[in-house]
Structure formats: C-alpha cells, structure tokens
Amino acid sequence: MAGLREIQGAIRSIQNTAKVTSAMKMVSSVRLGKMEDRTRSSSSYHDAFETLFKRVMAKVGKVEHPLAQQPTGGKHLFLLLSADRGLCGAYNAHILKRLVSRVDEEGWEEGEYLVATVGNKGEKLATFKGFSLIDSRGGFSTDLPDEDVKSLLSWLTDGFLRGEFSTVEILYTKYYSKAKYVPSSLILLPFSTPEEQEEDGCAEWLFEPDAQVLAKTLVPMAVRGMVFRSLQEAMTSEQASRMMAMTQATDNAKDEIKKKKKLFNKLRQEAITSELMDIIGGAAAIE
C-alpha cells in the first residue's frame, strides 16, 4: 500500500501545480486582452502616421537630419527586447537565437559589435551565452511609462549622434496574433526615409512651416514611434507566449493526473485481488 500512498501524494502535488498554472493562464489571458487592444490602437495610429510621412516625403524629397546621416565611426548596436520574468515558453530563448543568427549572418567576431538589453531575462541569457553588454535595463511595465521610453530613446539617439553607434538595430518579437509572434529586427538608426508613394492626386501641397522644417520635425517623431511600437509588440508577444505556455502546462498536468489515476486504480485492483486470493486460499486450506 506504500506505493498507492506515494501515487496519491503525486496526484495531489500535480493537482496543486495545475491550479497554479491555470491561474497564471487566466492572468496572462486578461493582460493579453488589454495589451492587444492597446497594440491595435497604437498600430492604427502608427500606420496612419507612416502613410502621412510617406506622402510628405514624396513631396519634400531627401531630408537632411542628423538621425538620418551615417556616422563616420562607431559600432553596430543590437538592442535586445526580452522579458523580465520566465514561464513564457521559449520567448526569451528565441529572441536570443535571433541575436546569434544576426551576428553569424554578418560574420562578426566579439568586439566588432555592441549588445544592450531591455529585460532581466535577456541580460542573463546574453551573459550566459558570452555576450558582453554595454547597457542593460529592467523591463518596462505594461503601461510603457513615457519617462522610461524617453530615457531609452535618449540613450540610443545620443550614442548615435556622438558616433558611438554606427547603426542601431532592435531585435524584438513582432506580434501577429495569439498563436503567431515572430522574432524580428528593424534598423532604427540611421533613420531611413520611406520610399516614395505614387502621386496622391493633389495638385499642390501647402506646407506651414517650410517643408524641410516640417520633415525634420517628423523624423524624431518617427524614430520614437518605431521604438514605442517595437516595445509594445514585444510585451504583447510575451503575454501571448506566457498564456500559451501556461495552457500547455495545465494540459500536461491534467494528462499526467489521468495517467497517475489509471496507475493508482490498477495497483489498487491488483492489491484487492491479491487479498481476495489470500482469503480464498486460507478458507480452502481450513476446509
């Protein structure tokens, strides 16, 4: 009967684990719903801004802005956007794999590029893999406080303008749906002006202030929008990955409970059968 008691203990332990993972799944589901709404709303704004920016640039032509100029020195900077916590499946591992892939694509050796991270898990994984970090920041809250975004953006743009970074590339997880989020990358700096669109049918545009002045004002706004959007999509992807991981963990726990119960019933039946045989055998011996 000792074996049966051990199995019963294992079943209770797995049931407790399933309760925890189920609760985490529900919390992640609620957070994901909120993040999805924010991502969709901000995506609509960013898409509209990009469309307007392309139309303006089609009229203005090339714009001279420090953030759009290639600096003479500096190294390529990879900014890795990861999570602060685990229990989100392979989310953090996949974005680190993207970093390794990009370094291999360029054929760079250590010291020929720079790495910075946002999120504690990214810092730990990158350090474990042997990457030297020049900066690491804790992950932002889901509200994405404006001061945190400004601090990160200032550090990136100031380093670029000083010539410390030749290029700034953001590695993040692009969000498509609850079941699809893909490790991606985008070149933030030097800022590349969008390709010109076809003529929009307007005979003449009137700019106030001057078109070049307006374009130079829009460039920093576009750069900030790219940083904000990548952060938001990364955080939404994190919640989706955590919800899927907790769903899978809960399902696995339920499957394991079924297996344990089946084994428990089998052993109990064998024990009962064995006792009955002993009783029958003893009665037969008395007769």
Side-chain angles (χ1 to χ4, degrees), residues 91-187:
Y91 172 80
N92 294 301
H94 283 166
I95 198 63
L96 181 66
K97 187 177 179 180
R98 176 66 178 172
L99 170 61
V100 174
S101 174
R102 284 289 296 116
V103 172
D104 291 342
E105 286 176 9
E106 299 294 340
W108 284 329
E109 298 293 335
E110 186 177 357
E112 296 180 344
Y113 59 91
L114 304 172
V115 179
T117 62
V118 173
N120 295 329
K121 285 297 180 180
E123 176 188 0
K124 293 177 181 179
L125 287 173
T127 303
F128 178 76
K129 283 291 186 178
F131 290 102
S132 299
L133 306 181
I134 64 168
D135 188 77
S136 58
R137 300 163 184 257
F140 301 153
S141 69
T142 54
D143 294 331
L144 280 178
D146 193 53
E147 58 271 17
D148 291 342
V149 178
K150 282 184 177 179
S151 175
L152 175 62
L153 183 60
S154 296
W155 181 74
L156 294 173
T157 55
D158 290 347
F160 178 79
L161 295 175
R162 287 195 302 265
E164 297 176 8
F165 313 140
S166 61
T167 311
V168 176
E169 181 175 351
I170 300 179
L171 303 179
Y172 71 109
T173 306
K174 186 172 181 60
Y175 182 80
Y176 293 97
S177 67
K178 293 180 180 179
K180 184 179 180 182
Y181 27 91
V182 182
S184 306
S185 62
L186 64 86
I187 300 297

